Amino acid sequence: MSRRDILGRVVNLSRRHGYVYSSGHLRPSMGVKGCFDYGPLGVELKRNLLNEWWSEMVSSQEHVVGVDNATFQSSTVAQSSSSPGQNGTSTSQHNLSVRLHEGNGEACLQSSLHDGLFSHYFNTLCLLNRRLPFGLAQVGPCFNRSSSSQEHDTFIFNGLQTSEMSMQFFSTPKTSNLSFNTWHRDRLSWWRKFAGIPSDFTATDIKTTEHVQSTEIQYKFPWGVDTIERISNHGSVPVEQMQASFKTDMQGKDGRKSVIPHMIETTASLEGGLLAYLVDGYQEKQRTDTRGQSVSREILRLHLRLAPLKVIVLPLRGTKELRELSDYLGKEFRKAGVNVRSIVEVSPSLENYYTMFDEMGVPFTILLNENTLKTGILRVRQRDTTLMQQLHITEVRDMILRHLEAD
Amino acid sequence: MSRRDILGRVVNLSRRHGYVYSSGHLRPSMGVKGCFDYGPLGVELKRNLLNEWWSEMVSSQEHVVGVDNATFQSSTVAQSSSSPGQNGTSTSQHNLSVRLHEGNGEACLQSSLHDGLFSHYFNTLCLLNRRLPFGLAQVGPCFNRSSSSQEHDTFIFNGLQTSEMSMQFFSTPKTSNLSFNTWHRDRLSWWRKFAGIPSDFTATDIKTTEHVQSTEIQYKFPWGVDTIERISNHGSVPVEQMQASFKTDMQGKDGRKSVIPHMIETTASLEGGLLAYLVDGYQEKQRTDTRGQSVSREILRLHLRLAPLKVIVLPLRGTKELRELSDYLGKEFRKAGVNVRSIVEVSPSLENYYTMFDEMGVPFTILLNENTLKTGILRVRQRDTTLMQQLHITEVRDMILRHLEAD
């Protein structure tokens, strides 16, 4: 299978198992071109990736706080501002405008979080007693009409509506180069941490354009290498310009000295990341079936932390006792915050179940049978090894939690 | 202080401490009327409430799955559909339309999640082998131009952009009344769980309009009682209509029998909830200062689970050793997933700090002094009691985690 074919397979698998549908999946006339809907597995994958980002960039950072903005910008701002992260070109030409109340003029849907995030700079500087460094982080929807002109199908990568995960870090001038290099390195490590093939995630050399240093983190998509995150060092220009425009002291403190902070910015695409990990996790394997025929099998090897559904509980007979045991296990996992599903129907073929669960990317399948009722022994099948492990029912929850918590 | 005055106080406190700002806080001409930006504390409060909802309505539910939709709807759908939850009136008159690519017509920004959520019904029914009951849940932005016509200031309650937290539950006809009553009861309990004054959250009597049974959960806002959630039993009508329109079998399974599922819907307003808890937590207390003067003190008694910043670490002198100890404690809390901030400046007045932390709604302040370096003993001040407790440094993390985990 060529690398280009993978996209079609991933799109197909995504639709089949409730990851992502094109808008209008119910009836094409109801859809909006370039928009996508997320099914049960897709929405959990998205939540997992977003929460990993927030945990890495906000919760575990001493100096970064989150903020959130309305997705509307006033039209006057959108026309005058340019987003320096985007190679210095103005973003206004791509803005989507919305007519609000009669007489209240128009507003634009933001095409980048850059301006909204930076509008929190002064308030937050004051809240934090002007102490440097500090960072502002946000995840939010961005709207981009340029998505219609794409040359080839890129699925969710370039939709009309995407989600940016952005952070602006304000450091003292003397530490800004160190900060830039540290974020650059840390962001690449973060992407690689969840990858099956880490070397498919790479960083470009640092380029300097109009005093902005920048580097891009890229993934080897089926259509070629493309950017999923940009890290830039804007230097002192953004705060200098804002200070000049507002005629207010916007300096931060380096010890007792007042300085113009430098801005380091990281801007990642949530949908770019989702598609990268879907492609990264997609594998096709040949196996020999019970009649000696070679058949191909698809697996979605998502990282344990990203996999939307961690555990499926499968009772091998439909008796009341086994169903009760299955419900009990389900509750135990849910209480521990693990996404679990219990299967009620019993199919004659276990192979069909394994095929389905592998395509869904479920790391663990727990098999219960009559013997489990007598001895407490059950079997756990792992997606990545297809191996079976025998365990006592009292041990299974902790065994799986240990796997999930290991990085 | 009259109840009407509380809103102004809450708005003021929110702006002062980085909970919520009106759009255009940086420069009024940049703002969009009816829009709001969230500062560092506001965004964490919002995340906490949203995560509590998701945990209650999706993660801990055996039968509910999450989905997610683009915020655009095609204009044709928006014009023809009506949202039966909204007393049967069409929502289309309030839709905001957006011109997309040239020649690609217009799309609307959704004014409710109802249609988008229901568009997942058939796909999910098939994914789950048509087994009933099941539920679909989503949190997403909704846009409503009717917000301009409000009679009095309602702050974030009625903004141009709000977030709905919605769930549609599809049950067998014979269990739909039980489901409706159970959700009704559970939703009210959920709101009351986080309240300082639970009786300010009430449910209306059940009304029946055009075959839709519905009840509203309301909060006693400063301007009067207003609705923060609606729970409806739409009966078999939604699935019947969809089945007729698509000419496809859309029945679910009750055991081996095929039945038209009934739809129970719960639709809550995230911003309504945020404002309710801000008002609920706001208290003004009189105290006597060191010079015998009576001064008033504001406290934001947010529930421990909702409070954005759980712990502040405050070294009482600016020595290097104390700062290192403070950093160490900060790291310990962050590792445990607890939002913490360390204060670096040392102010001469502890009272000023307490006043500020109480207004910010911080439940715990940890005080470190020279004695802590020698003996390991530190003091913890609790927001709600203003009492001090002496503890050894090895015990403080677990003591606070126990408080946070207790419901």
Side-chain angles (χ1 to χ4, degrees):
Chain A
M1 182 177 57
S2 86
R3 195 157 173 87
R4 283 215 65 115
D5 292 338
I6 292 181
L7 189 65
R9 307 282 183 103
V10 167
V11 170
N12 199 293
L13 183 147
S14 291
R15 196 182 48 227
R16 231 160 52 227
H17 291 294
Y19 273 94
V20 188
Y21 319 107
S22 292
S23 168
H25 54 93
L26 188 60
R27 179 145 60 186
S29 68
M30 286 166 66
V32 177
K33 200 185 150 196
C35 287
F36 297 91
D37 293 343
Y38 289 75
L41 294 185
V43 78
E44 294 293 343
L45 174 61
K46 203 169 165 181
R47 277 179 66 84
N48 290 346
L49 187 56
L50 194 154
N51 285 336
E52 288 291 341
W53 186 88
W54 192 270
S55 160
E56 169 84 6
M57 300 299 283
V58 187
S59 311
S60 71
Q61 296 290 337
E62 193 180 342
H63 299 294
V64 181
V65 295
V67 295
D68 195 31
N69 284 295
T71 56
F72 288 113
Q73 292 186 326
S74 102
S75 302
T76 49
V77 179
Q79 275 154 29
S80 66
S81 81
S82 73
S83 181
Q86 318 294 317
N87 302 320
T89 58
S90 165
T91 58
S92 64
Q93 67 205 81
H94 302 308
N95 278 327
L96 295 174
S97 53
V98 181
R99 197 167 313 133
L100 303 175
H101 332 294
E102 297 306 317
N104 202 355
E106 289 208 330
C108 284
L109 292 171
Q110 64 192 358
S111 57
S112 137
L113 299 185
H114 179 86
D115 295 339
L117 205 46
F118 190 39
S119 77
H120 282 267
Y121 167 75
F122 187 56
N123 269 337
T124 313
L125 182 77
C126 296
L127 283 174
L128 299 174
N129 267 319
R130 294 186 180 248
R131 187 161 294 273
L132 299 177
F134 74 91
L136 300 168
Q138 185 181 1
V139 177
C142 293
F143 300 87
N144 202 329
R145 76 156 78 189
S146 70
S147 65
S148 68
S149 60
Q150 61 208 30
E151 296 155 43
H152 39 251
D153 184 23
T154 55
F155 196 33
I156 53 174
F157 182 74
N158 239 340
L160 189 62
Q161 175 182 355
T162 55
S163 308
E164 261 185 29
M165 308 188 286
S166 284
M167 198 275 297
Q168 291 174 353
F169 195 75
F170 300 94
S171 72
T172 64
K174 66 176 187 243
T175 56
S176 72
N177 271 322
L178 179 65
S179 276
F180 176 61
N181 290 324
T182 307
W183 285 113
H184 177 183
R185 189 195 62 207
D186 289 353
R187 294 306 302 145
L188 182 60
S189 308
W190 184 82
W191 285 107
R192 287 182 166 175
K193 191 167 78 171
F194 304 108
I197 306 173
S199 59
D200 281 351
F201 291 81
T202 51
T204 62
D205 290 341
I206 295 170
K207 274 184 297 192
T208 305
T209 324
E210 297 176 18
H211 306 289
V212 179
Q213 280 187 298
S214 66
T215 172
E216 292 175 7
I217 295 176
Q218 303 188 315
Y219 179 70
K220 207 171 130 193
F221 284 102
W223 62 85
V225 165
D226 222 327
T227 298
I228 52 175
E229 177 155 7
R230 178 177 287 113
I231 298 131
S232 327
N233 183 352
H234 297 285
S236 58
V237 175
V239 177
E240 262 164 16
Q241 286 184 346
M242 188 180 262
Q243 181 167 274
S245 152
F246 284 86
K247 299 181 178 60
T248 308
D249 175 14
M250 293 194 169
Q251 294 179 102
K253 278 193 223 152
D254 176 11
R256 287 179 187 171
K257 224 172 63 192
S258 286
V259 294
I260 296 278
H262 286 206
M263 181 206 278
I264 319 291
E265 186 173 41
T266 73
T267 302
S269 155
L270 179 56
E271 285 76 11
L274 290 175
L275 186 55
Y277 289 124
L278 284 171
V279 170
D280 176 74
Y282 181 86
Q283 292 187 352
E284 204 183 35
K285 293 252 159 120
Q286 299 300 318
R287 69 169 181 83
T288 310
D289 73 5
T290 45
R291 282 161 299 174
Q293 305 271 311
S294 171
V295 289
S296 77
R297 192 167 75 92
E298 290 173 293
I299 317 177
L300 197 58
R301 281 201 180 168
L302 292 169
H303 190 280
L304 287 191
R305 298 277 284 263
L306 298 185
L309 192 56
K310 314 289 189 199
V311 180
I312 282 186
V313 184
L314 182 63
L316 294 182
R317 283 188 53 192
T319 64
K320 184 158 166 286
E321 287 82 5
L322 275 181
R323 210 176 303 144
E324 281 169 3
L325 190 62
S326 164
D327 286 350
Y328 164 79
L329 270 178
K331 276 203 195 80
E332 286 292 297
F333 280 107
R334 265 189 292 277
K335 260 193 264 170
V338 175
N339 200 354
V340 61
R341 194 177 294 169
S342 297
I343 300 290
V344 180
E345 296 79 13
V346 178
S347 137
S349 157
L350 264 181
E351 266 317 316
N352 288 351
Y353 274 126
Y354 295 158
T355 302
M356 184 164 83
F357 301 160
D358 285 346
E359 291 178 6
M360 291 162 72
V362 182
F364 301 101
T365 304
I366 299 177
L367 300 152
L368 308 177
N369 61 19
E370 296 294 334
N371 192 37
T372 314
L373 291 172
K374 284 182 220 145
T375 63
I377 301 292
L378 46 74
R379 283 177 301 161
V380 178
R381 177 183 182 270
Q382 294 202 23
R383 174 196 70 192
D384 296 347
T385 58
T386 73
L387 294 178
M388 289 285 186
Q389 186 181 357
Q390 289 210 341
L391 276 176
H392 193 265
I393 191 164
T394 52
E395 301 166 334
V396 65
R397 200 194 68 148
D398 288 348
M399 185 279 277
I400 289 178
L401 283 179
R402 266 198 310 279
H403 270 97
L404 295 177
E405 277 155 20
D407 256 4
Chain B
M1 183 177 57
S2 86
R3 195 158 173 87
R4 283 215 65 115
D5 292 338
I6 292 180
L7 189 65
R9 307 282 183 103
V10 166
V11 170
N12 200 293
L13 183 147
S14 291
R15 194 182 50 228
R16 230 160 51 226
H17 291 293
Y19 272 94
V20 188
Y21 319 107
S22 292
S23 168
H25 54 93
L26 188 60
R27 179 145 60 186
S29 69
M30 286 167 65
V32 177
K33 199 185 151 196
C35 286
F36 297 90
D37 293 343
Y38 289 75
L41 294 185
V43 78
E44 295 293 342
L45 174 61
K46 203 170 165 181
R47 277 179 65 84
N48 290 346
L49 187 56
L50 195 154
N51 286 335
E52 288 290 341
W53 186 88
W54 192 270
S55 160
E56 168 84 6
M57 300 299 282
V58 187
S59 311
S60 71
Q61 296 290 336
E62 193 180 343
H63 298 294
V64 181
V65 295
V67 295
D68 196 32
N69 284 294
T71 56
F72 288 114
Q73 292 185 325
S74 101
S75 302
T76 49
V77 179
Q79 276 154 29
S80 66
S81 81
S82 73
S83 182
Q86 318 295 317
N87 302 320
T89 58
S90 165
T91 58
S92 64
Q93 67 205 80
H94 302 309
N95 278 327
L96 295 174
S97 53
V98 182
R99 196 167 314 133
L100 302 175
H101 332 294
E102 298 305 317
N104 202 355
E106 289 208 328
C108 284
L109 292 171
Q110 65 193 357
S111 57
S112 138
L113 299 184
H114 179 85
D115 295 339
L117 205 46
F118 191 38
S119 77
H120 283 266
Y121 166 75
F122 187 56
N123 269 337
T124 312
L125 182 77
C126 296
L127 283 174
L128 299 174
N129 267 319
R130 294 187 180 249
R131 187 161 294 274
L132 299 177
F134 74 91
L136 300 167
Q138 185 182 0
V139 177
C142 294
F143 301 88
N144 203 329
R145 76 157 77 189
S146 71
S147 65
S148 68
S149 60
Q150 60 207 31
E151 296 155 44
H152 39 252
D153 184 22
T154 55
F155 197 32
I156 53 174
F157 182 73
N158 240 340
L160 191 61
Q161 176 182 354
T162 55
S163 308
E164 261 185 29
M165 309 188 285
S166 284
M167 199 274 297
Q168 291 174 352
F169 195 76
F170 300 94
S171 72
T172 64
K174 66 177 188 242
T175 56
S176 73
N177 271 321
L178 179 65
S179 276
F180 176 61
N181 289 325
T182 306
W183 283 114
H184 176 183
R185 189 195 62 208
D186 289 354
R187 294 305 303 145
L188 182 60
S189 308
W190 184 82
W191 285 107
R192 287 182 167 175
K193 191 167 79 172
F194 304 108
I197 307 173
S199 59
D200 281 351
F201 291 81
T202 51
T204 62
D205 290 341
I206 295 170
K207 274 185 297 192
T208 305
T209 325
E210 297 176 18
H211 307 289
V212 179
Q213 279 186 298
S214 66
T215 172
E216 291 175 6
I217 294 176
Q218 303 188 315
Y219 178 70
K220 207 171 130 193
F221 284 102
W223 61 84
V225 165
D226 221 326
T227 298
I228 52 175
E229 177 155 8
R230 179 178 287 114
I231 299 131
S232 327
N233 183 352
H234 297 285
S236 58
V237 175
V239 177
E240 262 164 15
Q241 286 183 347
M242 188 181 262
Q243 180 167 275
S245 152
F246 284 86
K247 298 182 179 59
T248 307
D249 175 14
M250 292 194 169
Q251 293 178 103
K253 278 193 223 151
D254 176 10
R256 287 179 186 171
K257 225 172 62 192
S258 286
V259 294
I260 296 278
H262 287 206
M263 181 207 278
I264 319 290
E265 187 173 40
T266 73
T267 302
S269 155
L270 180 55
E271 285 76 11
L274 290 175
L275 186 55
Y277 289 124
L278 284 171
V279 170
D280 176 74
Y282 181 86
Q283 291 187 352
E284 205 183 35
K285 292 252 159 119
Q286 300 300 319
R287 68 170 182 82
T288 310
D289 73 4
T290 44
R291 282 162 298 174
Q293 305 271 311
S294 171
V295 290
S296 77
R297 192 167 75 92
E298 289 173 294
I299 317 176
L300 197 58
R301 282 201 179 168
L302 291 169
H303 191 280
L304 287 191
R305 298 278 284 263
L306 298 185
L309 192 56
K310 314 288 189 200
V311 180
I312 281 185
V313 184
L314 182 63
L316 294 182
R317 284 189 53 194
T319 64
K320 184 158 165 286
E321 287 81 5
L322 275 180
R323 211 176 303 144
E324 281 169 3
L325 190 63
S326 164
D327 286 350
Y328 164 79
L329 270 179
K331 276 203 195 79
E332 286 291 297
F333 280 107
R334 265 189 291 278
K335 261 193 264 170
V338 174
N339 200 354
V340 62
R341 193 177 295 169
S342 297
I343 300 290
V344 180
E345 295 79 12
V346 178
S347 138
S349 158
L350 265 181
E351 267 316 315
N352 288 351
Y353 274 126
Y354 295 158
T355 302
M356 185 164 82
F357 302 160
D358 285 346
E359 291 179 6
M360 292 162 72
V362 182
F364 301 101
T365 304
I366 299 177
L367 299 152
L368 308 177
N369 61 19
E370 296 294 334
N371 192 38
T372 314
L373 291 172
K374 284 182 221 146
T375 63
I377 301 292
L378 46 73
R379 284 177 301 160
V380 179
R381 176 182 182 271
Q382 294 203 23
R383 174 196 70 192
D384 296 347
T385 58
T386 73
L387 294 178
M388 289 286 186
Q389 185 180 357
Q390 289 211 340
L391 276 176
H392 193 265
I393 192 164
T394 52
E395 301 166 333
V396 65
R397 200 193 68 148
D398 288 349
M399 184 279 277
I400 289 178
L401 283 179
R402 267 198 310 279
H403 270 97
L404 295 176
E405 277 155 20
D407 256 4

